[in-house]
Amino acid sequence: MGRHSLPDERGTATPDPRPQSRGRTVALATALVLVVAGGAAAAVRGGLLSLGGSCGDDAVRLDVVADPAVSPALREAADEAREQEITSDGHCVDVRVTARDSYEVAAELRSGKGDPEYDVWVPDSDVWVQRVGLGAMRSKVSPAGNIASSPVGIGMVSSAAESLGWPKRTYSWPELTTAGTKSDKLRLGTADPARSASGLLALAAMGASAKKQGGKEGDTQAAALAKALASRTSDSDDRLLDTLARDGSGAEQSDPRRNQALVLSEQAAYAHNASAGEKNSLALFYPKDGSPRLDYPYTLVEDGRMSTDTSRAALRFMTMFSDDDGRRILAEHGFRTDPGQPSDRLVTAAGGRTPQPYADEAADPPSDKELQETLGMWTITVQSARLSTVVDASESMRQFVPGRDQSRMEVTKASLLRALAGFTDEDEIGLWDFATRLDGARDYRELEPTRRLGDRKGGTTHRDALSEAFSELQPVPGGATGLYDTTLAAYKEARSTYARGKFNALVILTDGANQDPGSISRSSLIAQLEEIADREHPVPIIAIAVGPEADKDEVLQIAEATGGSGHQVDDPAQIHAVILKAIMEAGSNQG
């Protein structure tokens, strides 16, 4: 069987990786459980882990889909399994590997439509498995272990890296991103975080670091960095590498379509350098505030429908990546098999050098909530947003939130102010409040028009005016919830002022059901919303029911009539995260 050789090392410098005392074992919780439960010796005698033997014609077929980056290594391992006649329960294992982008498989599984025609899925990151867990397939994907890892950093052409002091000088994520976005002299590109785990994990790391360093201004700084990156975003990791300057010529370096730096994994840099040659190879910066890692989870798909033979064959194939041959194959393709002690040659071939912190522990992976917030921020940053915000000002908003010494309105205002910090000056946001007969016979009034946050009037910006308006929101004494008339009026206004090229939405916050006996009915409201809604110019309603008295079913029906979403929160402090999640989901649906 052919072997992949390491690319030639660049220069003569030798890296000096620093071993860590704590490293994650690469792979194989489920297989180990089987071995321990039955006894390793018994498993081998029974054929579960047997090596060699005659295959005959009764091989067990195992279909695997894998991220394009790792699929060549899996194919090589599958070839080796056939050549060595590795068996499971006395049957040879016939593994067929298909390369598919992780985000496409995640979307397919999340939809729950159709029966997957594969038994195992190996995406590049657990973030996709988490994404599937939010949808219809949440109980049908079972991660069994991780077969490899690869840290995410920023790769640069030699001239750009040297201008920033590589490898001796180290940078944080915000510092590196700012260096790559503040001028055209060093253009930084990334793959779309909605389609790339590397892009998403890097964006989350940038945001977390910016918030840690910038305090109250961190959200705004993170959004500004994302905005700068958005102008140089590629659809996928493969297309991102195509944007790299192809040589050191003045024409290539000055071409505004070419990047000198990319957000990418160590493995992607390794693969690029293997074919690019010394002059066009990348140097790799590992941010000093932590490199998130791709972790390649080996995931069983609908394992409940698998036969015993297929299930055991799947686990048998996974165990190959914990033995010497499997680890060698992964290393030859640029993957780490021991995150705590990276291979000297792998790091050097990928563009790493001492004192870059490539052997440091990975940054803590972002939580599900942090990923949702990051994707939400990205959606509104890429498109810019036009949001009309409508807030319930009925008497019931005076009620205190359980466990807090604050009213619903006070907590709602704080959450809205926090959400506002995540929007850029290009975003357009307005504010209405509503309660029965708030403005003469009307249940609603406009407090601030929907305008660019960066627009100035007098000596203040619209952001300043909106922040003040949020802070001054107060419940109306004796006011009831005039939900239906308000929703229809606000939606008509949002539709008539639709802004092309932006993410348009109407955000409604209410803590109760409609209490205006003189208003239109719910059925009439829904019918009119369905008639007004336009797929070509979508304005989804994001309706949030706040507190135990709010009717989630009601806001859900209202929102769905426009292609939007309804949500229930017990604590108004959750509003910020829900808005971002809803924006992300609505943005994905429109794409």
Side-chain angles (χ1 to χ4, degrees), residues 34 95 111 150 163 191 238 275 377 405 470 564:
L34 288 173
V95 182
S111 72
S150 188
S163 71
D238 286 343
S275 60
M377 179 191 71
D405 190 25
F470 279 151

Side-chain angles (χ1 to χ4, degrees), residues 176-373:
L176 271 170
T177 311
T178 300
T181 55
K182 66 181 180 181
S183 73
D184 285 339
K185 293 181 179 179
L186 174 59
R187 293 181 290 274
L188 172 64
T190 185
D192 184 351
R195 297 184 173 193
S196 163
S198 296
L200 176 57
L201 290 171
L203 187 62
M206 292 173 203
S209 185
K211 291 174 186 178
K212 185 176 181 180
Q213 294 180 17
K216 293 182 179 179
E217 301 299 322
D219 283 328
T220 302
Q221 183 184 359
L225 291 175
K227 188 72 173 179
L229 280 174
S231 64
R232 308 200 66 81
T233 299
S234 299
D235 287 343
S236 65
D237 293 304
D238 286 343
R239 292 189 178 182
L240 175 65
L241 285 162
D242 292 338
T243 69
L244 198 65
R246 291 172 290 193
D247 54 52
S249 67
E252 279 291 298
Q253 296 297 324
S254 62
D255 187 339
R257 297 169 297 179
R258 296 293 180 189
N259 293 310
Q260 289 82 38
L262 304 176
V263 173
L264 78 176
S265 70
E266 180 183 77
Q267 189 277 332
Y270 174 99
H272 170 83
N273 289 350
S275 60
E278 183 175 346
K279 289 184 178 180
N280 296 318
S281 60
L282 295 172
L284 196 57
F285 280 95
Y286 299 77
K288 63 185 179 183
D289 46 353
S291 295
R293 288 181 180 170
L294 304 179
D295 55 4
Y296 303 93
Y298 189 96
T299 308
L300 306 182
V301 179
E302 290 193 325
D303 55 329
R305 67 172 172 79
M306 288 185 190
S307 67
T308 300
D309 286 344
T310 302
S311 178
R312 290 188 174 184
L315 296 175
R316 176 65 189 98
F317 184 56
M318 186 177 71
T319 64
M320 288 187 65
F321 299 102
S322 64
D323 63 27
D324 289 343
D325 282 345
R327 287 195 295 267
R328 172 188 51 75
I329 289 171
L330 289 167
E332 289 177 351
H333 285 269
F335 298 97
R336 295 189 183 189
T337 57
D338 184 349
Q341 297 185 348
S343 158
D344 293 24
R345 295 192 66 199
L346 188 158
V347 172
T348 302
R353 293 288 191 281
T354 299
Q356 288 296 314
Y358 48 76
D360 282 2
E361 289 188 4
D364 290 336
S367 65
D368 290 357
K369 177 182 177 183
E370 289 169 333
L371 289 175
Q372 292 284 2
E373 291 185 359

Side-chain angles (χ1 to χ4, degrees), residues 153-178:
I154 293 183
M156 295 188 187
V157 298
S158 297
S159 58
E162 291 169 3
S163 71
L164 293 181
W166 175 90
K168 293 183 178 180
R169 186 172 177 185
T170 59
Y171 293 82
S172 67
W173 276 109
E175 289 168 346
L176 271 170
T177 311
T178 300

Side-chain angles (χ1 to χ4, degrees), residues 32-113:
L32 291 177
V33 168
L34 288 173
V35 172
V36 171
V44 171
R45 286 195 300 269
L48 176 59
L49 301 179
S50 62
L51 303 177
S54 176
C55 283
D57 298 321
D58 60 348
V60 178
R61 170 76 174 265
L62 185 69
D63 288 297
V64 177
V65 294
D67 188 85
V70 76
S71 59
L74 296 182
R75 287 196 187 102
E76 187 171 340
D79 290 342
E80 186 157 300
R82 280 188 286 271
E83 290 174 11
Q84 295 186 5
E85 297 187 350
I86 292 177
T87 64
S88 168
D89 276 351
H91 301 286
C92 280
V93 181
D94 180 19
V95 182
R96 310 291 178 90
V97 180
T98 302
R100 289 186 60 189
D101 287 324
S102 296
Y103 77 89
E104 289 185 347
V105 180
E108 176 181 276
L109 291 174
R110 187 170 185 261
S111 72
K113 297 178 181 178

Side-chain angles (χ1 to χ4, degrees), residues 329-500:
I329 289 171
L330 289 167
E332 289 177 351
H333 285 269
F335 298 97
R336 295 189 183 189
T337 57
D338 184 349
Q341 297 185 348
S343 158
D344 293 24
R345 295 192 66 199
L346 188 158
V347 172
T348 302
R353 293 288 191 281
T354 299
Q356 288 296 314
Y358 48 76
D360 282 2
E361 289 188 4
D364 290 336
S367 65
D368 290 357
K369 177 182 177 183
E370 289 169 333
L371 289 175
Q372 292 284 2
E373 291 185 359
T374 298
L375 279 171
M377 179 191 71
W378 180 255
T379 299
I380 62 177
T381 298
V382 170
Q383 289 187 285
S384 291
R386 180 179 174 83
L387 303 180
S388 302
T389 309
V390 181
V391 180
D392 192 341
S394 59
E395 174 75 28
S396 58
M397 290 290 282
R398 293 185 186 276
Q399 295 183 17
F400 278 69
V401 177
R404 292 175 176 267
D405 190 25
Q406 292 177 301
S407 70
R408 292 175 183 171
M409 181 62 85
E410 288 171 330
V411 179
T412 296
K413 291 191 294 184
S415 192
L416 287 171
L417 286 167
R418 183 184 173 202
L420 181 62
F423 291 85
T424 71
D425 285 350
E426 295 301 314
D427 297 312
E428 302 176 18
I429 301 179
L431 176 64
W432 290 18
D433 65 351
F434 70 98
T436 49
R437 300 190 177 279
L438 181 62
D439 183 14
R442 296 193 307 182
D443 294 342
Y444 49 86
R445 63 185 174 187
E446 180 185 75
L447 299 178
E448 285 292 334
T450 303
R451 296 192 292 122
R452 281 182 68 255
L453 291 176
D455 283 352
R456 288 188 170 274
K457 187 176 182 180
T460 62
T461 65
H462 182 55
R463 183 190 296 273
D464 296 331
L466 194 60
S467 295
E468 184 176 352
F470 279 151
S471 299
E472 292 179 351
L473 284 168
Q474 294 294 333
V476 176
T481 305
L483 180 61
Y484 295 163
D485 285 349
T486 300
T487 299
L488 184 58
Y491 194 73
K492 286 181 177 179
E493 174 69 14
R495 279 286 299 111
S496 67
T497 57
Y498 179 87
R500 291 181 181 274

